[in-house]
Amino acid sequence: MPSPTHGTAAERTAVLEGLAGVVPPRAVSNDDLPAAWDTDDAWVRRRTGIRVRHWVAPGVSTGDLALEAARRALAVAAAAPVRPLGAATTAPVDAVVVATSTPDRPMPAMAPQLAHRLGLGPVAAWDVAAACSGFVYALAGAAGAIGAGIANRVLIVAAEVYSTLIAPDDRGAGVVFADGAGAVVLRRGEQGEPGSVLGFDLGSDGAGHELIEVPGGGALARSAPDRYTPADLHFKMRGRDVFQEAVTHMTLSAQLLLKNVGWSVHDIDRFVAHQANARILNAVAERIPVPSDRQVANIDRVGNTGAASIPLALADAAEHGRLHAGQRVLLTSFGAGLTWGSAALLWPDLAPVPSVHSTDGPPRSR
Ligand code: COA
């Protein structure tokens, strides 16, 4: 690990200083979906709000998307108008966290290889598996590491290649899930400065693990292969139940966090929920309640990208001028596990964030 951290607890607040997102270049409109699904644009828009999503080309993996998002976020952090307290560290970051439920391999974790591909040296590196809540969980862990004096600056990358988990005959999950990556950099800073992360609410309910899962591909299937089929390597989702649980837990988690950080609903300048389904987002916003002009949504253009969805939505909003320094931002997420989590932060003074829809797309360089 690089030099130990110094400073008071107030100077060890985690502050956001870099942000970027990336989606693969292949755009799949509702009309492009497999004919065998017998679905149509009107149905998908009405039930999910999705118009188009992006799926990787063969051979492109979670690690490729993660690498591109990480490079872009580090560039934004390097151009940050406010110089960080942690600038004396020996590396651009001293820890890397990857949030994903579609790792390139069951073992090892993805973060060490990502750190290596970025040339970051022997930094701490670990993965977080909390499905669509992965970004908020990773953010909480990284903020905790900064607060505890374990790290000065942490790169967090959330990346998914969910298209590889869609069963060929599953139009329910098929229309919803998509690929993408988002990354942020957190640095040690001072309480109350723009970018400060103010608090978290995290929760889980393992009793609901079967509502959305990939049953095969793990140790259970390897130790009892006769109980599993190749179909178990794909999403199994009880869509309606997931829908209801998502609305319940995102609403309660957001409300609990508001209370804990002392914000009223009127204090929320921007509300960014996990982009699961437009109807879920609207139902949660209505219940909290948050007016629609404060909501951030890009699901119509990217679908449900799991852990990547919140940083992708943030990058999209930043690119389109919907986020300004000092704004009070509330994030909330829900995912398989079941897991859920919310975060409250003050928006930072960021350098311009590049478009998530680049024309060149991510590299295929492994
Ligand atoms: N196109 C056309 N019809 C479809 C369809 C599709 N893509 N998917 C399902 N249907 C049909 C079903 O066959 C069913 O028909 P039937 O009534 O004749 O049997 C009907 O639509 C209703 O099916 P249901 O699965 O109950 O639909 P739904 O309204 O719940 O929508 C989802 C399905 C997947 C879009 C919706 O449940 C959803 O978005 N759930 C949450 C998913 C999610 O966010 N997961 C991740 C959380 S992190």
Side-chain angles (χ1 to χ4, degrees), residues 39 43 47-48 132 171-172 175 177 212 237 239-240 242-243 274 276-277 279-280 304 334-335:
T39 191
W43 192 97
R47 298 288 181 113
T48 70
C132 302
R171 63 181 181 174
V175 301
F177 290 112
I212 174 165
M237 178 171 75
R240 290 220 164 165
V242 170
F243 193 106
H274 163 51
N277 174 317
R279 288 190 300 142
I280 293 178
N304 180 338
F334 172 86

Side-chain angles (χ1 to χ4, degrees), residues 246-252 254-255 271 273 279-290 332:
V247 172
T248 301
H249 289 296
M250 285 203 279
T251 304
L252 289 176
Q255 289 173 333
F271 173 62
R279 288 190 300 142
I280 293 178
L281 304 186
N282 293 336
V284 172
E286 253 172 48
R287 282 164 174 73
I288 290 177
V290 183
T332 191

